[in-house]
Amino acid sequence: MGLFGRKNNESAVATATLPVDPALAALTGEYAIDPSHSSIGFTVRHAMVTNVRGTFAEHEGALKLDGSNPSASTASIDITIASIDTGLGDRDGHLRSGDFFDVEQFPLMSFRSTQAEQLGGDMYRITGDLTIKDVTKPLSIDLEFNGAATDPFGNERVGFEGSTEILRSAWGLTWNAALETGGVLVGDKVKLNFDISAIKNAA
């Protein structure tokens, strides 16, 4: 995520390094992720032949951007797993259960960045720690900085979007069921999608 890096050895959620110029310097400040205009979702193979898509409706995060020294920026985000929505109540309930996320014991999923690199243009690669349940593992996310704008209500916004893939089994999400025709009900590979809008806090 553009402008996010580690500062004073603190971890961060989506991080990236952008070229320093006056326009970026003007972005310096603290931001709150706007969940009503952001989306965090996933796609996973179902029954070997199709995909199930879902989102996490509840999440919050804070960004501290330093446009003059992007590597000094920080960010953090936490996702409420119980807010999962795949469009089917029974399936959502199963995903919340001990077979999968066990939301009663582990209500949050989090990401904290550790480093960032620019891939060219507005593309960045963020590496950090993803925690699901009681498992924390490194993860890299490719993100695009979509720019900054002032909305009709006077809010200063920045936007980012990107995706990555994980193997859910690496985080202990191993439940499955065999199919009579061969294969399994739920794929191991999961694509995570991020579309983030963040609002600059008032001075």
Side-chain angles (χ1 to χ4, degrees):
M1 216 172 266
L3 295 177
F4 302 101
R6 172 171 283 190
K7 182 177 182 180
N8 296 331
N9 294 321
E10 295 176 357
S11 295
V13 168
T15 327
T17 302
L18 295 175
V20 177
D21 63 33
L24 290 177
L27 300 181
T28 296
E30 296 183 0
Y31 294 73
I33 292 176
D34 178 7
S36 63
H37 293 92
S38 301
S39 176
I40 298 176
F42 63 90
T43 304
V44 62
R45 184 74 73 183
H46 177 261
M48 309 294 292
V49 297
T50 189
N51 291 317
V52 166
R53 293 175 173 82
T55 60
F56 295 96
E58 298 179 18
H59 48 83
E60 61 180 13
L63 316 179
K64 188 172 183 180
L65 305 184
D66 187 333
S68 298
N69 182 18
S71 64
S73 300
T74 64
S76 63
I77 191 168
D78 292 300
I79 299 165
T80 302
I81 299 174
S83 69
I84 194 169
D85 182 3
T86 65
L88 186 62
D90 288 346
R91 179 167 57 212
D92 295 342
H94 191 198
L95 289 170
R96 296 183 187 109
S97 76
D99 284 344
F100 285 94
F101 288 108
D102 191 3
V103 298
E104 292 294 329
Q105 186 173 357
F106 306 104
L108 298 178
M109 171 169 52
S110 64
F111 180 82
R112 302 288 187 266
S113 71
T114 55
Q115 65 180 40
E117 59 181 310
Q118 184 171 11
L119 302 180
D122 289 329
M123 295 301 301
Y124 306 88
R125 177 165 294 151
I126 313 329
T127 300
D129 296 322
L130 175 67
T131 300
I132 303 174
K133 299 175 76 170
D134 57 350
V135 178
T136 299
K137 288 185 174 294
L139 177 71
S140 293
I141 307 170
D142 287 353
L143 292 161
E144 181 176 8
F145 176 59
N146 288 337
T150 301
D151 67 23
F153 305 100
N155 298 311
E156 295 181 54
R157 292 180 177 269
V158 290
F160 314 90
E161 64 179 316
S163 64
T164 190
E165 291 184 346
I166 67 171
L167 296 179
R168 63 186 180 90
S169 59
W171 278 265
L173 302 175
T174 58
W175 184 91
N176 228 319
L179 301 175
E180 291 184 4
T181 54
V184 292
L185 183 64
V186 184
D188 192 21
K189 184 169 65 177
V190 181
K191 182 177 182 180
L192 302 176
N193 303 295
F194 306 88
D195 195 346
I196 301 297
S197 178
I199 298 173
K200 192 172 187 179
N201 297 339

